[in-house]
Amino acid sequence: MLTIAAARPSPYTFDLPSTALLVIDMQRDFLEPGGFGESLGNDVDQLRRTVAPLAALLADARAVGLTVVHTREGHLPDLSDCPPAKLLRGAPSKRIGDPGPNGRILVRGEYGHDIIDELVPLPGEPVVDKPGKGAFHATDLDALLTARGIRSLLVTGVTTEVCVHTTVREANDRGYECLVLADCVGSYFPEFHRVALDMIAAQGGIFGWVADSAQVRAALPTTPVLQPSS
Ligand code: TIU
């Protein structure tokens, strides 16, 4: 067992075979100009600080053979999986499905829908396409994790209070332990980011634990101990 002694609200213990690194929605649509995030009026630069620590963590996780799972938020080209409540809400500069500089906004198969170059998935790493904010809603993520014997999630990605939080809540109700890595999750709203992390660790860890990626990287062995996931 490995222990992250400095995790909030208490030390987090996990073992490598039953743990996955979950990378949520690190897509151009959220992190680069011209995509869904910017269409909602957000400053996409707010999310950039997550990229370097997440790339470093990903490299160490891969080196040790940890299971890595990526997710992408997006919709079928005919938008049949996008509820009107999501499509029509608000007054964005562009709606889901509209053409943008990176292709149609938040539509599967478009350049903007894919994961940023710095964090591109390796062959064999599952990429779960999800129509909602939570990664368990209308996906096979639970079955995929169960088949691999995963019970513990190192949670990273964007945005802290939207897709990360929804996924952590869903995971918590399904019996997974979640350690959210504060420097590897990001929000367009610094205050929401801070409070969202506090909400996870409050009340004795009502949804899980919070730590920094450096603490996890320091705890990981330096030689492979697992077969690469397939
Ligand atoms: N708007 C916002 O903060 N986030 C999303 O719409 N999706 C995700 O968080 N991935």
Side-chain angles (χ1 to χ4, degrees):
M1 293 293 265
L2 304 179
T3 300
I4 309 300
R8 303 193 267 147
S10 58
Y12 186 78
T13 53
F14 63 105
D15 70 343
L16 297 174
S18 65
T19 298
L21 173 60
L22 185 60
V23 185
I24 298 175
D25 299 359
M26 291 298 286
Q27 299 160 253
R28 298 188 184 98
D29 253 314
F30 295 106
L31 285 122
E32 295 185 1
F36 183 61
E38 193 177 74
S39 80
L40 300 173
N42 297 307
D43 171 11
V44 294
D45 285 345
Q46 287 288 339
L47 306 186
R48 295 305 306 182
R49 61 160 189 80
T50 61
V51 176
L54 186 40
L57 177 64
L58 198 50
D60 286 5
R62 285 168 172 161
V64 83
L66 199 69
T67 297
V68 176
V69 180
H70 306 258
T71 72
R72 297 182 297 200
E73 182 181 350
H75 296 282
L76 298 169
D78 66 2
L79 306 186
S80 58
D81 60 349
C82 184
K86 181 176 182 181
L87 186 60
L88 302 175
R89 187 169 311 144
S93 61
K94 284 188 167 63
R95 293 202 183 272
I96 295 168
D98 284 353
N102 292 332
R104 295 177 67 204
I105 301 283
L106 217 60
V107 170
R108 293 181 193 172
E110 302 288 343
Y111 181 76
H113 172 263
D114 216 344
I115 292 168
I116 60 172
D117 292 338
E118 297 92 324
L119 302 173
V120 71
L122 289 184
E125 291 177 354
V127 179
V128 175
D129 280 319
K130 62 189 189 62
K133 303 307 183 195
F136 290 88
H137 168 67
T139 72
D140 61 0
L141 178 60
D142 198 24
L144 184 158
L145 296 174
T146 301
R148 288 166 169 74
I150 302 295
R151 301 308 311 158
S152 159
L153 300 174
L154 308 180
V155 184
T156 66
V158 297
T159 64
T160 316
E161 81 280 13
V162 182
C163 290
V164 170
H165 231 265
T166 306
T167 299
V168 167
R169 289 168 185 240
E170 289 180 326
N172 187 69
D173 280 348
R174 285 165 175 77
Y176 294 93
E177 309 272 42
C178 291
L179 176 66
V180 180
L181 299 178
D183 54 330
C184 295
V185 296
S187 169
Y188 302 116
F189 303 89
E191 181 68 1
F192 291 175
H193 172 80
R194 185 183 66 74
V195 174
L197 293 177
D198 285 351
M199 289 167 68
I200 287 165
Q203 304 183 65
I206 196 77
F207 295 126
W209 287 257
V210 176
D212 285 320
S213 63
Q215 293 153 358
V216 172
R217 292 177 64 205
L220 289 176
T222 51
T223 53
V225 294
L226 297 168
Q227 293 297 314
S229 61
S230 58

PDB file of all heavy atoms in Angstrom, residues 24-63:
ATOM      1  N   ILE A  24      -9.842  13.984 -16.797  1.00  0.00           N
ATOM      2  CA  ILE A  24     -11.176  14.397 -17.225  1.00  0.00           C
ATOM      3  C   ILE A  24     -11.117  15.579 -18.199  1.00  0.00           C
ATOM      4  O   ILE A  24     -10.630  16.673 -17.854  1.00  0.00           O
ATOM      5  CB  ILE A  24     -12.032  14.771 -15.988  1.00  0.00           C
ATOM      6  CG1 ILE A  24     -12.208  13.543 -15.084  1.00  0.00           C
ATOM      7  CG2 ILE A  24     -13.393  15.336 -16.397  1.00  0.00           C
ATOM      8  CD1 ILE A  24     -12.937  13.814 -13.786  1.00  0.00           C
ATOM      9  N   ASP A  25     -11.570  15.360 -19.411  1.00  0.00           N
ATOM     10  CA  ASP A  25     -11.940  16.419 -20.366  1.00  0.00           C
ATOM     11  C   ASP A  25     -10.838  17.440 -20.642  1.00  0.00           C
ATOM     12  O   ASP A  25     -11.128  18.646 -20.783  1.00  0.00           O
ATOM     13  CB  ASP A  25     -13.200  17.146 -19.873  1.00  0.00           C
ATOM     14  CG  ASP A  25     -14.398  16.229 -19.738  1.00  0.00           C
ATOM     15  OD1 ASP A  25     -14.278  15.033 -20.046  1.00  0.00           O
ATOM     16  OD2 ASP A  25     -15.464  16.709 -19.303  1.00  0.00           O
ATOM     17  N   MET A  26      -9.584  16.965 -20.768  1.00  0.00           N
ATOM     18  CA  MET A  26      -8.481  17.898 -21.097  1.00  0.00           C
ATOM     19  C   MET A  26      -8.487  18.125 -22.610  1.00  0.00           C
ATOM     20  O   MET A  26      -7.515  17.842 -23.323  1.00  0.00           O
ATOM     21  CB  MET A  26      -7.156  17.344 -20.585  1.00  0.00           C
ATOM     22  CG  MET A  26      -7.057  17.335 -19.079  1.00  0.00           C
ATOM     23  SD  MET A  26      -7.135  18.975 -18.287  1.00  0.00           S
ATOM     24  CE  MET A  26      -5.519  19.639 -18.693  1.00  0.00           C
ATOM     25  N   GLN A  27      -9.584  18.708 -23.081  1.00  0.00           N
ATOM     26  CA  GLN A  27      -9.849  18.871 -24.515  1.00  0.00           C
ATOM     27  C   GLN A  27      -9.582  20.307 -24.968  1.00  0.00           C
ATOM     28  O   GLN A  27      -9.721  21.262 -24.202  1.00  0.00           O
ATOM     29  CB  GLN A  27     -11.331  18.554 -24.792  1.00  0.00           C
ATOM     30  CG  GLN A  27     -11.762  17.146 -24.447  1.00  0.00           C
ATOM     31  CD  GLN A  27     -13.273  17.047 -24.272  1.00  0.00           C
ATOM     32  OE1 GLN A  27     -13.763  16.913 -23.146  1.00  0.00           O
ATOM     33  NE2 GLN A  27     -14.024  17.107 -25.350  1.00  0.00           N
ATOM     34  N   ARG A  28      -9.295  20.434 -26.274  1.00  0.00           N
ATOM     35  CA  ARG A  28      -9.115  21.783 -26.837  1.00  0.00           C
ATOM     36  C   ARG A  28     -10.365  22.624 -26.622  1.00  0.00           C
ATOM     37  O   ARG A  28     -10.272  23.840 -26.452  1.00  0.00           O
ATOM     38  CB  ARG A  28      -8.799  21.673 -28.330  1.00  0.00           C
ATOM     39  CG  ARG A  28      -7.516  20.923 -28.600  1.00  0.00           C
ATOM     40  CD  ARG A  28      -7.112  20.990 -30.060  1.00  0.00           C
ATOM     41  NE  ARG A  28      -5.923  20.171 -30.278  1.00  0.00           N
ATOM     42  CZ  ARG A  28      -5.949  18.924 -30.757  1.00  0.00           C
ATOM     43  NH1 ARG A  28      -7.075  18.366 -31.140  1.00  0.00           N
ATOM     44  NH2 ARG A  28      -4.828  18.238 -30.877  1.00  0.00           N
ATOM     45  N   ASP A  29     -11.529  21.995 -26.623  1.00  0.00           N
ATOM     46  CA  ASP A  29     -12.769  22.742 -26.446  1.00  0.00           C
ATOM     47  C   ASP A  29     -12.819  23.494 -25.115  1.00  0.00           C
ATOM     48  O   ASP A  29     -13.565  24.472 -24.981  1.00  0.00           O
ATOM     49  CB  ASP A  29     -13.984  21.803 -26.541  1.00  0.00           C
ATOM     50  CG  ASP A  29     -14.762  21.988 -27.843  1.00  0.00           C
ATOM     51  OD1 ASP A  29     -15.016  23.148 -28.213  1.00  0.00           O
ATOM     52  OD2 ASP A  29     -15.109  20.978 -28.478  1.00  0.00           O
ATOM     53  N   PHE A  30     -12.064  23.040 -24.123  1.00  0.00           N
ATOM     54  CA  PHE A  30     -12.054  23.723 -22.827  1.00  0.00           C
ATOM     55  C   PHE A  30     -10.785  24.540 -22.605  1.00  0.00           C
ATOM     56  O   PHE A  30     -10.827  25.544 -21.887  1.00  0.00           O
ATOM     57  CB  PHE A  30     -12.217  22.702 -21.693  1.00  0.00           C
ATOM     58  CG  PHE A  30     -13.547  22.017 -21.716  1.00  0.00           C
ATOM     59  CD1 PHE A  30     -13.665  20.708 -22.140  1.00  0.00           C
ATOM     60  CD2 PHE A  30     -14.702  22.702 -21.368  1.00  0.00           C
ATOM     61  CE1 PHE A  30     -14.900  20.080 -22.205  1.00  0.00           C
ATOM     62  CE2 PHE A  30     -15.945  22.085 -21.434  1.00  0.00           C
ATOM     63  CZ  PHE A  30     -16.043  20.774 -21.848  1.00  0.00           C
ATOM     64  N   LEU A  31      -9.674  24.107 -23.216  1.00  0.00           N
ATOM     65  CA  LEU A  31      -8.382  24.716 -22.871  1.00  0.00           C
ATOM     66  C   LEU A  31      -7.847  25.670 -23.924  1.00  0.00           C
ATOM     67  O   LEU A  31      -6.864  26.372 -23.677  1.00  0.00           O
ATOM     68  CB  LEU A  31      -7.336  23.616 -22.627  1.00  0.00           C
ATOM     69  CG  LEU A  31      -7.521  22.921 -21.283  1.00  0.00           C
ATOM     70  CD1 LEU A  31      -7.718  21.437 -21.427  1.00  0.00           C
ATOM     71  CD2 LEU A  31      -6.355  23.217 -20.359  1.00  0.00           C
ATOM     72  N   GLU A  32      -8.455  25.676 -25.118  1.00  0.00           N
ATOM     73  CA  GLU A  32      -7.913  26.526 -26.184  1.00  0.00           C
ATOM     74  C   GLU A  32      -8.973  27.504 -26.685  1.00  0.00           C
ATOM     75  O   GLU A  32     -10.180  27.226 -26.574  1.00  0.00           O
ATOM     76  CB  GLU A  32      -7.378  25.637 -27.321  1.00  0.00           C
ATOM     77  CG  GLU A  32      -6.193  24.809 -26.829  1.00  0.00           C
ATOM     78  CD  GLU A  32      -5.503  23.989 -27.905  1.00  0.00           C
ATOM     79  OE1 GLU A  32      -5.909  24.051 -29.081  1.00  0.00           O
ATOM     80  OE2 GLU A  32      -4.551  23.285 -27.541  1.00  0.00           O
ATOM     81  N   PRO A  33      -8.536  28.633 -27.230  1.00  0.00           N
ATOM     82  CA  PRO A  33      -9.500  29.626 -27.729  1.00  0.00           C
ATOM     83  C   PRO A  33     -10.364  29.052 -28.850  1.00  0.00           C
ATOM     84  O   PRO A  33      -9.942  28.155 -29.579  1.00  0.00           O
ATOM     85  CB  PRO A  33      -8.604  30.752 -28.267  1.00  0.00           C
ATOM     86  CG  PRO A  33      -7.278  30.551 -27.615  1.00  0.00           C
ATOM     87  CD  PRO A  33      -7.141  29.082 -27.365  1.00  0.00           C
ATOM     88  N   GLY A  34     -11.582  29.571 -28.963  1.00  0.00           N
ATOM     89  CA  GLY A  34     -12.471  29.187 -30.053  1.00  0.00           C
ATOM     90  C   GLY A  34     -13.349  27.993 -29.761  1.00  0.00           C
ATOM     91  O   GLY A  34     -14.097  27.555 -30.633  1.00  0.00           O
ATOM     92  N   GLY A  35     -13.266  27.451 -28.545  1.00  0.00           N
ATOM     93  CA  GLY A  35     -14.024  26.252 -28.211  1.00  0.00           C
ATOM     94  C   GLY A  35     -15.215  26.517 -27.311  1.00  0.00           C
ATOM     95  O   GLY A  35     -15.645  27.665 -27.139  1.00  0.00           O
ATOM     96  N   PHE A  36     -15.736  25.434 -26.733  1.00  0.00           N
ATOM     97  CA  PHE A  36     -16.925  25.522 -25.902  1.00  0.00           C
ATOM     98  C   PHE A  36     -16.696  26.425 -24.683  1.00  0.00           C
ATOM     99  O   PHE A  36     -17.528  27.280 -24.368  1.00  0.00           O
ATOM    100  CB  PHE A  36     -17.335  24.117 -25.450  1.00  0.00           C
ATOM    101  CG  PHE A  36     -18.592  24.053 -24.641  1.00  0.00           C
ATOM    102  CD1 PHE A  36     -19.800  24.473 -25.172  1.00  0.00           C
ATOM    103  CD2 PHE A  36     -18.580  23.557 -23.344  1.00  0.00           C
ATOM    104  CE1 PHE A  36     -20.976  24.403 -24.426  1.00  0.00           C
ATOM    105  CE2 PHE A  36     -19.746  23.483 -22.595  1.00  0.00           C
ATOM    106  CZ  PHE A  36     -20.945  23.907 -23.140  1.00  0.00           C
ATOM    107  N   GLY A  37     -15.562  26.227 -24.013  1.00  0.00           N
ATOM    108  CA  GLY A  37     -15.299  27.010 -22.799  1.00  0.00           C
ATOM    109  C   GLY A  37     -15.300  28.503 -23.067  1.00  0.00           C
ATOM    110  O   GLY A  37     -15.918  29.289 -22.337  1.00  0.00           O
ATOM    111  N   GLU A  38     -14.624  28.899 -24.146  1.00  0.00           N
ATOM    112  CA  GLU A  38     -14.583  30.333 -24.474  1.00  0.00           C
ATOM    113  C   GLU A  38     -15.949  30.838 -24.922  1.00  0.00           C
ATOM    114  O   GLU A  38     -16.325  31.977 -24.628  1.00  0.00           O
ATOM    115  CB  GLU A  38     -13.536  30.592 -25.554  1.00  0.00           C
ATOM    116  CG  GLU A  38     -13.214  32.069 -25.713  1.00  0.00           C
ATOM    117  CD  GLU A  38     -12.106  32.309 -26.736  1.00  0.00           C
ATOM    118  OE1 GLU A  38     -12.386  32.174 -27.948  1.00  0.00           O
ATOM    119  OE2 GLU A  38     -10.984  32.621 -26.320  1.00  0.00           O
ATOM    120  N   SER A  39     -16.731  29.976 -25.605  1.00  0.00           N
ATOM    121  CA  SER A  39     -18.058  30.401 -26.070  1.00  0.00           C
ATOM    122  C   SER A  39     -18.980  30.754 -24.907  1.00  0.00           C
ATOM    123  O   SER A  39     -19.950  31.503 -25.073  1.00  0.00           O
ATOM    124  CB  SER A  39     -18.708  29.303 -26.927  1.00  0.00           C
ATOM    125  OG  SER A  39     -19.276  28.288 -26.119  1.00  0.00           O
ATOM    126  N   LEU A  40     -18.668  30.203 -23.729  1.00  0.00           N
ATOM    127  CA  LEU A  40     -19.474  30.497 -22.539  1.00  0.00           C
ATOM    128  C   LEU A  40     -19.011  31.772 -21.838  1.00  0.00           C
ATOM    129  O   LEU A  40     -19.550  32.141 -20.797  1.00  0.00           O
ATOM    130  CB  LEU A  40     -19.410  29.320 -21.558  1.00  0.00           C
ATOM    131  CG  LEU A  40     -19.929  27.981 -22.091  1.00  0.00           C
ATOM    132  CD1 LEU A  40     -19.654  26.867 -21.082  1.00  0.00           C
ATOM    133  CD2 LEU A  40     -21.414  28.047 -22.409  1.00  0.00           C
ATOM    134  N   GLY A  41     -17.994  32.417 -22.399  1.00  0.00           N
ATOM    135  CA  GLY A  41     -17.507  33.678 -21.832  1.00  0.00           C
ATOM    136  C   GLY A  41     -16.318  33.507 -20.907  1.00  0.00           C
ATOM    137  O   GLY A  41     -15.960  34.430 -20.180  1.00  0.00           O
ATOM    138  N   ASN A  42     -15.683  32.342 -20.936  1.00  0.00           N
ATOM    139  CA  ASN A  42     -14.591  32.068 -20.007  1.00  0.00           C
ATOM    140  C   ASN A  42     -13.219  32.417 -20.595  1.00  0.00           C
ATOM    141  O   ASN A  42     -13.019  32.389 -21.812  1.00  0.00           O
ATOM    142  CB  ASN A  42     -14.584  30.580 -19.643  1.00  0.00           C
ATOM    143  CG  ASN A  42     -15.849  30.169 -18.916  1.00  0.00           C
ATOM    144  OD1 ASN A  42     -16.221  30.781 -17.918  1.00  0.00           O
ATOM    145  ND2 ASN A  42     -16.515  29.142 -19.415  1.00  0.00           N
ATOM    146  N   ASP A  43     -12.264  32.693 -19.688  1.00  0.00           N
ATOM    147  CA  ASP A  43     -10.866  32.899 -20.034  1.00  0.00           C
ATOM    148  C   ASP A  43     -10.174  31.537 -19.974  1.00  0.00           C
ATOM    149  O   ASP A  43      -9.897  31.020 -18.888  1.00  0.00           O
ATOM    150  CB  ASP A  43     -10.240  33.890 -19.041  1.00  0.00           C
ATOM    151  CG  ASP A  43      -8.731  33.996 -19.198  1.00  0.00           C
ATOM    152  OD1 ASP A  43      -8.182  33.483 -20.199  1.00  0.00           O
ATOM    153  OD2 ASP A  43      -8.092  34.570 -18.290  1.00  0.00           O
ATOM    154  N   VAL A  44      -9.898  30.962 -21.145  1.00  0.00           N
ATOM    155  CA  VAL A  44      -9.370  29.595 -21.166  1.00  0.00           C
ATOM    156  C   VAL A  44      -7.956  29.501 -20.589  1.00  0.00           C
ATOM    157  O   VAL A  44      -7.514  28.421 -20.196  1.00  0.00           O
ATOM    158  CB  VAL A  44      -9.418  28.983 -22.592  1.00  0.00           C
ATOM    159  CG1 VAL A  44     -10.847  28.788 -23.052  1.00  0.00           C
ATOM    160  CG2 VAL A  44      -8.641  29.832 -23.592  1.00  0.00           C
ATOM    161  N   ASP A  45      -7.244  30.627 -20.512  1.00  0.00           N
ATOM    162  CA  ASP A  45      -5.895  30.599 -19.944  1.00  0.00           C
ATOM    163  C   ASP A  45      -5.895  30.167 -18.473  1.00  0.00           C
ATOM    164  O   ASP A  45      -4.883  29.698 -17.953  1.00  0.00           O
ATOM    165  CB  ASP A  45      -5.235  31.977 -20.058  1.00  0.00           C
ATOM    166  CG  ASP A  45      -4.792  32.270 -21.489  1.00  0.00           C
ATOM    167  OD1 ASP A  45      -4.736  31.310 -22.300  1.00  0.00           O
ATOM    168  OD2 ASP A  45      -4.527  33.438 -21.790  1.00  0.00           O
ATOM    169  N   GLN A  46      -7.057  30.326 -17.812  1.00  0.00           N
ATOM    170  CA  GLN A  46      -7.154  29.932 -16.403  1.00  0.00           C
ATOM    171  C   GLN A  46      -6.838  28.449 -16.195  1.00  0.00           C
ATOM    172  O   GLN A  46      -6.457  28.039 -15.097  1.00  0.00           O
ATOM    173  CB  GLN A  46      -8.574  30.216 -15.870  1.00  0.00           C
ATOM    174  CG  GLN A  46      -8.885  31.674 -15.651  1.00  0.00           C
ATOM    175  CD  GLN A  46      -8.162  32.247 -14.440  1.00  0.00           C
ATOM    176  OE1 GLN A  46      -7.742  31.528 -13.542  1.00  0.00           O
ATOM    177  NE2 GLN A  46      -7.997  33.556 -14.427  1.00  0.00           N
ATOM    178  N   LEU A  47      -7.037  27.650 -17.238  1.00  0.00           N
ATOM    179  CA  LEU A  47      -6.874  26.199 -17.090  1.00  0.00           C
ATOM    180  C   LEU A  47      -5.461  25.719 -17.424  1.00  0.00           C
ATOM    181  O   LEU A  47      -5.122  24.576 -17.148  1.00  0.00           O
ATOM    182  CB  LEU A  47      -7.881  25.451 -17.978  1.00  0.00           C
ATOM    183  CG  LEU A  47      -9.358  25.823 -17.805  1.00  0.00           C
ATOM    184  CD1 LEU A  47     -10.230  24.886 -18.649  1.00  0.00           C
ATOM    185  CD2 LEU A  47      -9.789  25.758 -16.344  1.00  0.00           C
ATOM    186  N   ARG A  48      -4.633  26.608 -18.029  1.00  0.00           N
ATOM    187  CA  ARG A  48      -3.335  26.157 -18.550  1.00  0.00           C
ATOM    188  C   ARG A  48      -2.400  25.646 -17.456  1.00  0.00           C
ATOM    189  O   ARG A  48      -1.549  24.789 -17.697  1.00  0.00           O
ATOM    190  CB  ARG A  48      -2.629  27.297 -19.306  1.00  0.00           C
ATOM    191  CG  ARG A  48      -3.302  27.771 -20.566  1.00  0.00           C
ATOM    192  CD  ARG A  48      -3.574  26.708 -21.588  1.00  0.00           C
ATOM    193  NE  ARG A  48      -2.406  25.917 -21.983  1.00  0.00           N
ATOM    194  CZ  ARG A  48      -2.457  24.949 -22.908  1.00  0.00           C
ATOM    195  NH1 ARG A  48      -3.590  24.661 -23.501  1.00  0.00           N
ATOM    196  NH2 ARG A  48      -1.376  24.276 -23.196  1.00  0.00           N
ATOM    197  N   ARG A  49      -2.517  26.178 -16.217  1.00  0.00           N
ATOM    198  CA  ARG A  49      -1.579  25.799 -15.162  1.00  0.00           C
ATOM    199  C   ARG A  49      -1.676  24.319 -14.804  1.00  0.00           C
ATOM    200  O   ARG A  49      -0.786  23.775 -14.141  1.00  0.00           O
ATOM    201  CB  ARG A  49      -1.806  26.638 -13.891  1.00  0.00           C
ATOM    202  CG  ARG A  49      -3.167  26.480 -13.300  1.00  0.00           C
ATOM    203  CD  ARG A  49      -3.275  26.889 -11.827  1.00  0.00           C
ATOM    204  NE  ARG A  49      -4.583  26.486 -11.333  1.00  0.00           N
ATOM    205  CZ  ARG A  49      -4.881  25.272 -10.956  1.00  0.00           C
ATOM    206  NH1 ARG A  49      -3.975  24.318 -10.976  1.00  0.00           N
ATOM    207  NH2 ARG A  49      -6.101  24.980 -10.551  1.00  0.00           N
ATOM    208  N   THR A  50      -2.754  23.662 -15.230  1.00  0.00           N
ATOM    209  CA  THR A  50      -2.889  22.232 -14.907  1.00  0.00           C
ATOM    210  C   THR A  50      -2.025  21.352 -15.817  1.00  0.00           C
ATOM    211  O   THR A  50      -1.759  20.198 -15.480  1.00  0.00           O
ATOM    212  CB  THR A  50      -4.356  21.769 -15.083  1.00  0.00           C
ATOM    213  OG1 THR A  50      -4.759  21.966 -16.456  1.00  0.00           O
ATOM    214  CG2 THR A  50      -5.293  22.543 -14.171  1.00  0.00           C
ATOM    215  N   VAL A  51      -1.629  21.886 -16.988  1.00  0.00           N
ATOM    216  CA  VAL A  51      -1.079  21.015 -18.045  1.00  0.00           C
ATOM    217  C   VAL A  51       0.286  20.445 -17.643  1.00  0.00           C
ATOM    218  O   VAL A  51       0.504  19.223 -17.759  1.00  0.00           O
ATOM    219  CB  VAL A  51      -1.001  21.765 -19.386  1.00  0.00           C
ATOM    220  CG1 VAL A  51      -0.351  20.892 -20.448  1.00  0.00           C
ATOM    221  CG2 VAL A  51      -2.396  22.203 -19.836  1.00  0.00           C
ATOM    222  N   ALA A  52       1.199  21.287 -17.173  1.00  0.00           N
ATOM    223  CA  ALA A  52       2.549  20.791 -16.861  1.00  0.00           C
ATOM    224  C   ALA A  52       2.536  19.769 -15.719  1.00  0.00           C
ATOM    225  O   ALA A  52       3.122  18.684 -15.858  1.00  0.00           O
ATOM    226  CB  ALA A  52       3.489  21.947 -16.561  1.00  0.00           C
ATOM    227  N   PRO A  53       1.879  20.058 -14.589  1.00  0.00           N
ATOM    228  CA  PRO A  53       1.880  19.034 -13.539  1.00  0.00           C
ATOM    229  C   PRO A  53       1.164  17.751 -13.952  1.00  0.00           C
ATOM    230  O   PRO A  53       1.585  16.656 -13.572  1.00  0.00           O
ATOM    231  CB  PRO A  53       1.169  19.708 -12.351  1.00  0.00           C
ATOM    232  CG  PRO A  53       0.590  20.971 -12.847  1.00  0.00           C
ATOM    233  CD  PRO A  53       1.295  21.329 -14.117  1.00  0.00           C
ATOM    234  N   LEU A  54       0.130  17.887 -14.758  1.00  0.00           N
ATOM    235  CA  LEU A  54      -0.592  16.688 -15.197  1.00  0.00           C
ATOM    236  C   LEU A  54       0.261  15.870 -16.170  1.00  0.00           C
ATOM    237  O   LEU A  54       0.284  14.626 -16.089  1.00  0.00           O
ATOM    238  CB  LEU A  54      -1.931  17.103 -15.820  1.00  0.00           C
ATOM    239  CG  LEU A  54      -2.912  16.018 -16.228  1.00  0.00           C
ATOM    240  CD1 LEU A  54      -2.985  14.872 -15.232  1.00  0.00           C
ATOM    241  CD2 LEU A  54      -4.290  16.631 -16.426  1.00  0.00           C
ATOM    242  N   ALA A  55       0.984  16.540 -17.047  1.00  0.00           N
ATOM    243  CA  ALA A  55       1.874  15.813 -17.969  1.00  0.00           C
ATOM    244  C   ALA A  55       2.957  15.061 -17.190  1.00  0.00           C
ATOM    245  O   ALA A  55       3.295  13.911 -17.524  1.00  0.00           O
ATOM    246  CB  ALA A  55       2.498  16.783 -18.969  1.00  0.00           C
ATOM    247  N   ALA A  56       3.481  15.676 -16.149  1.00  0.00           N
ATOM    248  CA  ALA A  56       4.519  15.020 -15.337  1.00  0.00           C
ATOM    249  C   ALA A  56       3.946  13.822 -14.580  1.00  0.00           C
ATOM    250  O   ALA A  56       4.569  12.753 -14.514  1.00  0.00           O
ATOM    251  CB  ALA A  56       5.118  16.030 -14.365  1.00  0.00           C
ATOM    252  N   LEU A  57       2.757  14.003 -14.027  1.00  0.00           N
ATOM    253  CA  LEU A  57       2.113  12.895 -13.305  1.00  0.00           C
ATOM    254  C   LEU A  57       1.788  11.743 -14.253  1.00  0.00           C
ATOM    255  O   LEU A  57       1.998  10.569 -13.925  1.00  0.00           O
ATOM    256  CB  LEU A  57       0.835  13.404 -12.629  1.00  0.00           C
ATOM    257  CG  LEU A  57       0.018  12.354 -11.890  1.00  0.00           C
ATOM    258  CD1 LEU A  57       0.793  11.765 -10.716  1.00  0.00           C
ATOM    259  CD2 LEU A  57      -1.313  12.951 -11.406  1.00  0.00           C
ATOM    260  N   LEU A  58       1.293  12.106 -15.440  1.00  0.00           N
ATOM    261  CA  LEU A  58       0.947  11.094 -16.443  1.00  0.00           C
ATOM    262  C   LEU A  58       2.191  10.278 -16.813  1.00  0.00           C
ATOM    263  O   LEU A  58       2.130   9.039 -16.918  1.00  0.00           O
ATOM    264  CB  LEU A  58       0.378  11.814 -17.662  1.00  0.00           C
ATOM    265  CG  LEU A  58      -0.432  11.068 -18.702  1.00  0.00           C
ATOM    266  CD1 LEU A  58      -1.543  10.240 -18.084  1.00  0.00           C
ATOM    267  CD2 LEU A  58      -1.013  12.077 -19.703  1.00  0.00           C
ATOM    268  N   ALA A  59       3.305  10.946 -16.990  1.00  0.00           N
ATOM    269  CA  ALA A  59       4.542  10.237 -17.346  1.00  0.00           C
ATOM    270  C   ALA A  59       4.934   9.258 -16.247  1.00  0.00           C
ATOM    271  O   ALA A  59       5.294   8.100 -16.523  1.00  0.00           O
ATOM    272  CB  ALA A  59       5.661  11.244 -17.604  1.00  0.00           C
ATOM    273  N   ASP A  60       4.857   9.696 -14.996  1.00  0.00           N
ATOM    274  CA  ASP A  60       5.236   8.809 -13.885  1.00  0.00           C
ATOM    275  C   ASP A  60       4.248   7.662 -13.746  1.00  0.00           C
ATOM    276  O   ASP A  60       4.636   6.521 -13.457  1.00  0.00           O
ATOM    277  CB  ASP A  60       5.304   9.600 -12.576  1.00  0.00           C
ATOM    278  CG  ASP A  60       6.539  10.483 -12.510  1.00  0.00           C
ATOM    279  OD1 ASP A  60       7.286  10.547 -13.519  1.00  0.00           O
ATOM    280  OD2 ASP A  60       6.755  11.119 -11.460  1.00  0.00           O
ATOM    281  N   ALA A  61       2.965   7.944 -13.923  1.00  0.00           N
ATOM    282  CA  ALA A  61       1.937   6.894 -13.819  1.00  0.00           C
ATOM    283  C   ALA A  61       2.147   5.848 -14.908  1.00  0.00           C
ATOM    284  O   ALA A  61       2.062   4.643 -14.648  1.00  0.00           O
ATOM    285  CB  ALA A  61       0.545   7.516 -13.929  1.00  0.00           C
ATOM    286  N   ARG A  62       2.439   6.311 -16.109  1.00  0.00           N
ATOM    287  CA  ARG A  62       2.687   5.366 -17.213  1.00  0.00           C
ATOM    288  C   ARG A  62       3.938   4.541 -16.931  1.00  0.00           C
ATOM    289  O   ARG A  62       3.980   3.335 -17.200  1.00  0.00           O
ATOM    290  CB  ARG A  62       2.835   6.133 -18.528  1.00  0.00           C
ATOM    291  CG  ARG A  62       1.507   6.636 -19.073  1.00  0.00           C
ATOM    292  CD  ARG A  62       1.711   7.624 -20.199  1.00  0.00           C
ATOM    293  NE  ARG A  62       0.460   7.986 -20.852  1.00  0.00           N
ATOM    294  CZ  ARG A  62       0.288   9.069 -21.594  1.00  0.00           C
ATOM    295  NH1 ARG A  62       1.296   9.914 -21.780  1.00  0.00           N
ATOM    296  NH2 ARG A  62      -0.884   9.310 -22.152  1.00  0.00           N
ATOM    297  N   ALA A  63       4.971   5.178 -16.399  1.00  0.00           N
ATOM    298  CA  ALA A  63       6.232   4.476 -16.151  1.00  0.00           C
ATOM    299  C   ALA A  63       6.055   3.335 -15.160  1.00  0.00           C
ATOM    300  O   ALA A  63       6.748   2.317 -15.241  1.00  0.00           O
ATOM    301  CB  ALA A  63       7.287   5.461 -15.643  1.00  0.00           C
TER     302      ALA A  63
END
